[in-house]
Amino acid sequence: MKAVRYHSYGGSDVLVYEEADRPVPDVGQVVVQVAGTSYNDADSGLRAGLRQDMLALAFPHIPGLDLAGVVTAIGEGVSGWRVGDAVVALLPADAPGAAAEYVAVSAEALASAPRTVELADAAALPLVGLTAWQALFEHADLKPGQSILINGAGSAVGGYAVQLAAQTGAIVTATAGARSRDRVRSYGADRIVDYAVTPVVQALAGRHFDVVLQLAPAGPEENAQLVDLVADGGAFVSVTTPGPQDAGRGVRAVHVFGRSDVTQLAELVARVEAGELVIEVAERLPLADLAAVHARAAGRFARIAELAAQVEGGDLAERLRADPAALRAPAAAGELAGKTVLAP
């Protein structure tokens, strides 16, 4: 089969579209013929080796955390799934990913795919949808009638967060630029702040929110300013760089990493099928273009990594200094905007 693999940590140029062995299901696994995967910045972090102290990969490694596809083979001990079932999943980061024609995956990681969208497009749901759900409901404990500021609402996670928060009955203030403003408003935001016109903290001076959800890359100073917008006893939840460890005033500062949860994923799928949750796909590309997608995201990801190193220091900062080429954006690489789905 064809797959995208990398044989060592490094920049986007380590990604190679090549022949690989087609997987067979182990006990408790199924093999899925991949209809689509999608790019996440987490894929770049793994490829660059920035978290190898926490999660070391075996090479060659196939990237692609998000999976949408059709079951083609079933291993021993699997029940509840049949050949031909359309499924979605968030794959373990250290396992072979979905940037291939076929992938073996634990049956326990699967949820039925939504039937109301193209199967490949469903790959734009798992990681970012689960991250939004967990940030809002597990970490922020968002309730109807509460106020929330979603900073970076035009991002992939932000689109789901705005929809889910509005459906919960929260009062949603969202930051968005001209490119995403209308889309964010259509998702149910009550107020849009155009960060390109007025700095967010300045535009919202004097306002306080039960929850501030930080989805935009930021350094320690900007995060501290956003924490000031959290009401006493509220929550500052960040998906990018962590907030201050001691925010004071009873404010909880939480750093979120999305994780697989089949029950939550099934609920997201149900909302998609009910027409309550929109899957937004910015572009659809062949899997062979994955290295180019990583290259286009390199500038943005390098900024995220740089800011994270400022906040966290330690091993991450050392790794950036040791291998800056892993994050360097190629000349004229362009820009990656929105969610990219790739199909074999």
Side-chain angles (χ1 to χ4, degrees):
M1 70 171 185
K2 287 289 189 180
V4 175
R5 303 196 296 185
Y6 51 99
H7 297 253
S8 65
Y9 296 118
S12 60
D13 56 344
V14 301
L15 292 163
V16 182
Y17 185 61
E18 61 187 7
E19 288 291 335
D21 292 337
R22 180 169 167 173
V24 295
D26 204 343
V27 175
Q29 289 187 324
V30 304
V31 170
V32 176
Q33 183 175 9
V34 178
T37 188
S38 74
Y39 170 81
N40 296 288
D41 284 328
D43 293 309
S44 285
L46 291 166
R47 186 212 69 229
L50 298 186
R51 299 293 183 181
Q52 57 185 283
D53 54 327
M54 301 165 55
L55 189 71
L57 301 177
F59 296 118
H61 179 71
I62 300 175
L65 299 173
D66 289 320
L67 166 67
V70 176
V71 174
T72 60
I74 296 178
E76 183 181 344
V78 173
S79 60
W81 298 105
R82 297 177 300 177
V83 170
D85 285 345
V87 296
V88 290
L90 175 57
L91 303 180
D94 58 350
E101 291 181 307
Y102 296 88
V103 61
V105 56
S106 168
E108 295 181 350
L110 301 174
S112 294
R115 294 164 293 184
T116 53
V117 299
E118 291 291 332
L119 182 55
D121 287 357
L125 178 65
L127 178 56
V128 289
L130 286 168
T131 300
W133 182 281
Q134 291 160 12
L136 292 176
F137 304 127
E138 288 189 358
H139 300 289
D141 195 24
L142 186 68
K143 297 290 193 297
Q146 288 187 321
S147 59
I148 181 171
L149 168 64
I150 300 176
N151 188 43
S155 66
V157 175
Y160 290 117
V162 171
Q163 295 179 75
L164 293 170
Q167 291 166 19
T168 299
I171 303 165
V172 181
T173 299
T175 71
R179 184 171 54 191
S180 58
R181 181 175 55 234
D182 291 342
R183 175 168 54 85
V184 170
R185 182 177 289 112
S186 75
Y187 289 161
D190 298 285
R191 178 181 179 183
I192 306 288
V193 175
D194 190 336
Y195 59 85
V197 175
T198 308
V200 174
V201 174
Q202 180 181 331
L204 298 173
R207 295 279 306 277
H208 290 91
F209 301 86
D210 297 300
V211 176
V212 171
L213 178 56
Q214 168 65 308
L215 304 176
E221 182 178 345
E222 184 178 346
N223 276 342
Q225 291 176 336
L226 287 171
V227 167
D228 289 341
L229 297 177
V230 181
D232 292 357
F236 177 82
V237 180
S238 178
V239 170
T240 53
T241 48
Q245 291 185 347
D246 184 9
R249 299 184 293 109
V251 172
R252 294 181 296 110
V254 185
H255 192 205
V256 175
F257 296 95
R259 71 177 200 289
S260 177
D261 186 301
V262 173
T263 300
Q264 294 173 357
L265 184 55
E267 174 61 25
L268 292 168
V269 168
R271 295 192 183 206
V272 171
E273 291 197 321
E276 299 170 358
L277 197 64
V278 176
I279 293 178
E280 186 74 26
V281 175
E283 61 180 351
R284 300 166 182 86
L285 297 172
L287 183 59
D289 288 353
L290 183 59
V293 172
H294 275 243
R296 287 164 53 203
R300 182 187 68 199
F301 180 74
R303 179 60 175 158
I304 294 172
E306 177 187 355
L307 291 168
Q310 288 178 19
V311 175
E312 299 177 40
D315 289 340
L316 179 58
E318 288 294 328
R319 206 158 279 127
L320 282 177
R321 285 193 289 270
D323 190 14
L327 298 179
R328 186 169 55 240
E335 181 183 1
L336 185 64
K339 199 67 173 162
T340 298
V341 166
L342 301 107

